[in-house]
Amino acid sequence: MSQSRKITYREALKEAIREELLNDERVFLMGEDVGRYGGAFAVSKGLLQEFGEERIMDVPLSESGFVGAGIGAAIAGMKPIVEVMTVNFGLLPMDQLVNTAATMLHMSGGQINVPVVVRMSCGIGKQLAAQHSHSWEPFYAHVPGLIVLSVGTHEDARWLLHTALQSPDPVVIFEYTSMLNMEGELSEDPAEVDITKAKVRREGRDISIITYGAAVYKCLEAAEDLAAQGIEAEVVDLRVLRPLDDATFIASVTKTHRALIVEDAWRSVSVSSEVSARINEKAFYELDASVQRICGAEVPIPYPLHLEDASVPQKKDIVEAVIKMIRP
Amino acid sequence: MKEFLMPSLGADMEDGTLVEWRKKPGDPVSRGDIIAEVDTQKGLIEIEVFEEGTIGEFLIKEGEKVPVGTPMALIKTEKAETEVEKEKQPEEKEKEPEPEVQKSSEEEPALQPTEEHIQKETPLQQPATKRIKATPLAKRIAEENKIDLSLITGTGENGAITKDDVNRAMMEKAAVKPAEKPSEELIREKTPEKAVESGEAVRLAVAAAMSKSNREIPHYYLEKKIDMSTALLWLKEVNKERAVRDRLLPAALLIKAVASALDEVPSLNATWENGLRLKNEINIGFVVSLRSGGVMVPAISNADLKSIPEIMEALNDLIPRARTMKLRSSEIGSSTITLTSLGEGGADAVFGVIYPPQVAVIGFGGITEQPWPEKGMLGLRPVITATLAGDHRANDGLTGSRFLTSLNKHLQNPEAL
């Protein structure tokens, strides 16, 4: 039996970065305030002291510039981990990611890979108001050529980065501000993290709850509540938002015949829209109820705490939605 | 063109075998014409057509066995030359609108008279063209297992039929089958069209309907002894005027009295399928025992509107045909309540099993002489024991009691019937 220990989501992220820095000298971390300040969310605290300025690089407030620099370093043979402090600034380097990183392999006739890893903190933090509470995973998940990952668990926080760095193609990783202080159990064994596969986090027979990111734990908690009421929900953590691993969630829906998709992002033209469409395309004759979704409210995320809570799916909403689907 | 479908002659009928077409393509047909003879569990049934028009094309061949609802023929009708409309189920459409219906019903005249008054806010009978709402999975399972979705009530989202609903229907279907014949395929193999004794098929149909009834319907039972002296005296007087072959039997009088009592207690003339549906017509199913075992229950339609001689005529026509299993589709599927009468020399009382989805069955024992106290004196009277088995989901003992009281009243005043 493997040992497990308690660890925060923040610590897990940091251990992952530190391990990569130790194991591969081509790996370096660049981003705003990652060095002397220790990272806006203290994820890289102490790393500058341990690894020095060449490997932990503070950059100017110019997302387009330093993400472009990271892409260049990757093309030149390095393995950069570029931290964009939060997704809220993620529109500024989007041109670099969409027009350069995602297309380079194609434009170079297959000659040039871009093995860059870009990390962004994402989602609702705590009362950061409309401009700093974005869930923009769907923007990036729209772009062919990018691999888009979402870190919904401690396990992925600790072990996903290593696999991402093995990818020859650009990877965008979304981490969740609201989960940084959350403690979780982590096995000492390195988990096999396959960044082409979604993961069933809980098995169940009655309904598939398909989700990702900050909603994963909420769905798991909801599944516990539902189990007490005799409903066995299967929770599928998408983990890979592009390219979507539809085989895993289609298999789940084929087993349970019902699907509820839960995400924090705005409802329209979202990851859940795509998942729902694929279920209809590939598992229509398995459905015993229409596919349902719970998503973020389509408003600028409000500042007051109770309104902020109301703007994204909560455990109670998930439980209610499932019960309504199973016992209409 | 309209499709002419294999009709359902009751909830226990799954399929029928076309024995003979009585018409050929190009023949004109009008409402009530016999178009085909079909072999069912209930024997050879003459199937009537409910359209005016011309036979267009036969879609199945003689000897073919098809599930209920399968199109059998296309009929060219004048009003619908181009579109193919699903025909309504026969029980919904076989009756002409009749005056009593108009008065009792606020519905548009276009609606069929056997439309029920519905107490719950469920939609009226669904026209057959209405889409059946079922989940894709439920539809797939139903198709694979040959389950008729139109007979299933959905419990899903917006009343959609779900996998569980179909599974339940399949289990019910399986439950009425003998244990050694678990699968439908096996049953089919073991009941080749003509090889099975008709008696056995009837036995199986009775078994299915009665098992369903006993499983689902909470019966309550009431009985009332009725003095028949006035009624028999009246019959004797009336029969004096009639030729021997036209004589009226007590059964005709009993049927008429039951119809009149139902007119006063209409909630027994109903069906229960996820809620009570009162029936506008009083069609009394009269149980006919077959010599080979089993029963047939042809309906005496609109018994409340028929005179006693007319009911007698109907009995004289129906009973021999029922015994030889030569009934028509309209006579089998339309009864709204069942009456079973043991006749002379048999048991004193019969407590029936309701024929689903009806909500009551009336039973009469034999007429026997019994001591009868009246006004402090004890005399001998011809007495019949009337019983009622009621569906306690649909009505209560008080309703049943009111019915039996009303029945007694009518039998004491036969001349008014």
Side-chain angles (χ1 to χ4, degrees):
Chain A
M1 281 293 289
S2 66
Q3 296 277 309
S4 75
R5 61 187 163 123
K6 275 205 179 292
I7 188 170
T8 62
Y9 184 88
R10 174 189 289 108
E11 276 302 311
L13 290 173
K14 181 174 166 178
E15 281 187 11
I17 296 168
R18 183 169 175 271
E19 184 177 70
E20 296 312 308
L21 288 164
L22 284 171
N23 291 345
D24 188 340
E25 32 180 59
R26 292 173 299 167
V27 173
F28 69 98
L29 177 69
M30 64 191 294
E32 291 158 351
D33 289 337
V34 297
R36 265 172 283 280
Y37 188 70
F41 301 109
V43 171
S44 52
K45 198 166 185 182
L47 294 182
L48 174 66
Q49 289 70 24
E50 186 177 356
F51 294 98
E53 283 186 7
E54 292 219 331
R55 316 241 356 239
I56 307 296
M57 196 183 296
D58 277 323
V59 299
L61 302 189
S62 171
E63 282 80 6
S64 181
F66 69 77
V67 171
I71 290 168
I75 291 170
M78 298 297 282
K79 294 226 163 169
I81 303 170
V82 184
E83 179 177 306
V84 173
M85 187 186 295
T86 77
V87 76
N88 307 295
F89 316 128
L91 298 187
L92 297 164
M94 212 159 180
D95 179 56
Q96 295 288 0
L97 286 167
V98 176
N99 262 329
T100 307
T103 59
M104 185 59 74
L105 184 65
H106 169 77
M107 295 302 288
S108 67
Q111 297 181 81
I112 303 175
N113 286 95
V114 185
V116 70
V117 171
V118 179
R119 297 170 42 242
M120 302 189 201
S121 202
C122 186
I124 285 174
K126 198 162 204 176
Q127 292 191 271
L128 299 178
Q131 294 164 315
H132 289 77
S133 302
H134 288 300
S135 297
W136 279 341
E137 300 95 324
F139 285 176
Y140 293 90
H142 184 60
V143 182
L146 297 182
I147 293 169
V148 180
L149 308 176
S150 166
V151 180
T153 63
H154 290 71
E155 179 190 280
D156 282 358
R158 176 65 185 86
W159 303 113
L160 183 140
L161 180 67
H162 173 76
T163 321
L165 280 165
Q166 311 311 307
S167 166
D169 298 312
V171 179
V172 179
I173 301 178
F174 290 105
E175 300 159 3
Y176 294 90
T177 319
S178 62
M179 295 171 69
L180 287 166
N181 290 327
M182 195 185 280
E183 277 201 329
E185 288 286 327
L186 189 65
S187 163
E188 288 295 354
D189 289 341
E192 286 282 325
V193 175
D194 182 342
I195 60 167
T196 65
K197 289 274 186 289
K199 182 151 185 178
V200 175
R201 298 283 178 195
R202 184 188 204 281
E203 304 241 355
R205 59 164 197 273
D206 296 326
I207 186 167
S208 300
I209 304 179
I210 301 165
T211 187
Y212 65 90
V216 173
Y217 282 130
K218 288 178 190 172
C219 291
L220 286 167
E221 285 168 21
E224 287 297 315
D225 283 14
L226 288 164
Q229 301 185 46
I231 295 172
E232 290 298 330
E234 179 147 304
V235 178
V236 180
D237 175 5
L238 287 173
R239 184 158 65 187
V240 195
L241 307 183
R242 167 168 287 274
L244 265 182
D245 170 25
D246 44 23
T248 298
F249 64 77
I250 295 292
S252 177
V253 173
T254 301
K255 181 171 82 170
T256 65
H257 308 296
R258 291 184 182 86
L260 172 70
I261 313 165
V262 181
E263 73 175 328
D264 280 8
W266 292 317
R267 184 184 193 87
S268 302
V269 200
S270 59
V271 173
S272 61
S273 316
E274 179 63 24
V275 170
S276 174
R278 295 209 193 177
I279 292 171
N280 278 300
E281 287 163 2
K282 302 192 176 183
F284 183 74
Y285 294 100
E286 297 295 343
L287 288 177
D288 206 21
S290 55
V291 176
Q292 296 292 320
R293 294 188 283 154
I294 322 179
C295 306
E298 297 200 288
V299 294
I301 302 299
Y303 173 77
L305 188 59
H306 65 293
L307 293 181
E308 186 181 80
D309 283 346
S311 66
V312 292
Q314 302 295 345
K315 182 177 81 173
K316 180 172 78 65
D317 308 318
I318 301 164
V319 169
E320 285 173 4
V322 168
I323 288 174
K324 206 172 150 198
M325 285 176 72
I326 292 190
R327 300 171 185 153
Chain B
M1 288 281 197
K2 291 216 173 202
E3 290 180 345
F4 181 81
L5 309 179
M6 174 64 75
S8 170
L9 308 175
D12 44 357
M13 174 168 167
E14 288 165 18
D15 45 38
T17 306
L18 174 66
V19 173
E20 186 187 352
W21 285 114
R22 297 279 192 84
K23 302 278 180 187
K24 54 185 188 302
D27 282 0
V29 287
S30 56
R31 179 183 285 263
D33 283 1
I34 311 284
I35 182 172
E37 199 171 325
V38 167
D39 194 18
T40 71
Q41 287 186 308
K42 295 176 178 179
L44 281 181
I45 306 293
E46 291 174 329
I47 306 289
E48 297 143 289
V49 69
F50 303 98
E51 302 295 336
E52 305 277 339
T54 316
I55 307 271
E57 184 189 341
F58 290 149
L59 302 176
I60 68 171
K61 289 200 278 293
E62 290 176 356
E64 228 175 291
K65 183 175 187 171
V66 294
V68 167
T70 308
M72 296 171 68
L74 293 177
I75 296 174
K76 282 184 211 152
T77 56
E78 275 163 33
K79 64 176 161 58
E81 280 290 29
T82 50
E83 56 185 327
V84 174
E85 281 178 35
K86 295 258 176 184
E87 230 186 302
K88 291 186 186 164
Q89 290 298 305
E91 60 181 38
E92 295 171 33
K93 62 187 164 56
E94 65 204 12
K95 300 293 186 294
E96 284 290 352
E98 279 165 353
E100 97 282 5
V101 173
Q102 312 282 7
K103 77 167 190 260
S104 64
S105 156
E106 304 276 316
E107 284 122 55
E108 300 167 47
L111 285 178
Q112 298 300 322
T114 41
E115 288 286 344
E116 306 97 339
H117 280 302
I118 289 153
Q119 296 198 324
K120 282 181 21 172
E121 284 231 335
T122 44
L124 290 176
Q125 284 182 335
Q126 305 179 339
T129 46
K130 192 178 170 191
R131 207 175 128 69
I132 294 170
K133 210 182 281 175
T135 69
L137 180 66
K139 281 186 181 165
R140 198 188 81 194
I141 296 173
E143 199 179 313
E144 286 167 1
N145 294 281
K146 301 191 172 62
I147 299 287
D148 183 356
L149 285 173
S150 65
L151 303 176
I152 300 177
T153 310
T155 61
E157 199 178 19
N158 298 321
I161 298 167
T162 66
K163 175 190 70 171
D164 284 352
D165 298 328
V166 177
N167 284 343
R168 247 192 314 275
M170 279 161 61
M171 272 159 67
E172 274 166 19
K173 212 167 135 183
V176 298
K177 289 174 182 171
E180 72 274 17
K181 299 178 180 177
S183 88
E184 192 172 52
E185 304 325 311
L186 272 176
I187 279 244
R188 291 189 175 198
E189 283 174 21
K190 288 196 178 179
T191 51
E193 280 71 356
K194 287 293 185 182
V196 169
E197 286 289 314
S198 58
E200 192 188 322
V202 171
R203 191 75 262 160
L204 286 176
V206 172
M210 294 300 101
S211 302
K212 179 178 163 65
S213 173
N214 210 34
R215 200 165 53 243
E216 292 177 4
I217 302 179
H219 288 64
Y220 69 84
Y221 303 97
L222 302 174
E223 73 165 74
K224 182 163 182 66
K225 290 190 190 309
I226 294 173
D227 175 4
M228 289 292 283
S229 45
T230 316
L232 293 182
L233 200 65
W234 179 83
L235 268 183
K236 199 172 166 187
E237 289 303 313
V238 172
N239 280 336
K240 274 185 191 167
E241 315 285 319
R242 300 176 76 89
V244 174
R245 59 188 299 264
D246 292 339
R247 282 195 183 155
L248 305 181
L249 295 175
L253 184 62
L254 293 173
I255 289 168
K256 180 64 187 177
V258 164
S260 300
L262 282 174
D263 211 23
E264 288 177 26
V265 189
S267 58
L268 294 179
N269 191 58
T271 58
W272 179 271
E273 279 164 305
N274 294 302
L276 186 66
R277 294 171 175 218
L278 299 187
K279 298 290 189 177
N280 280 338
E281 292 189 348
I282 297 179
N283 300 333
I284 296 181
F286 186 79
V287 178
V288 178
S289 292
L290 304 181
R291 292 191 177 89
S292 55
V295 292
M296 298 292 281
V297 190
I300 295 154
S301 57
N302 297 304
D304 54 328
L305 303 177
K306 286 191 164 77
S307 66
I308 295 171
E310 281 168 344
I311 290 177
M312 195 64 230
E313 242 173 74
L315 284 176
N316 285 336
D317 171 40
L318 286 173
I319 293 176
R321 285 199 290 118
R323 291 228 160 102
T324 51
M325 314 236 297
K326 285 268 185 188
L327 290 170
R328 291 180 190 156
S329 49
S330 60
E331 293 157 351
I332 287 192
S334 64
S335 53
T336 56
I337 190 166
T338 299
L339 187 159
T340 177
S341 172
L342 297 178
E344 297 310 301
D348 293 339
V350 51
F351 296 90
V353 180
I354 297 167
Y355 183 56
Q358 295 170 13
V359 299
V361 52
I362 315 296
F364 289 106
I367 300 174
T368 56
E369 278 208 322
Q370 290 185 24
W372 190 265
E374 197 177 40
K375 294 174 185 161
M377 301 288 284
L378 190 62
L380 284 182
R381 298 281 169 82
V383 171
I384 195 165
T385 303
T387 61
L388 176 135
D391 181 342
H392 217 325
R393 297 173 304 182
N395 55 73
D396 308 312
L398 182 63
T399 320
S401 180
R402 280 216 314 275
F403 169 82
L404 289 177
T405 308
S406 168
L407 179 66
N408 181 42
K409 185 188 78 189
H410 287 296
L411 285 172
Q412 302 314 318
N413 297 287
E415 65 283 351
L417 284 171

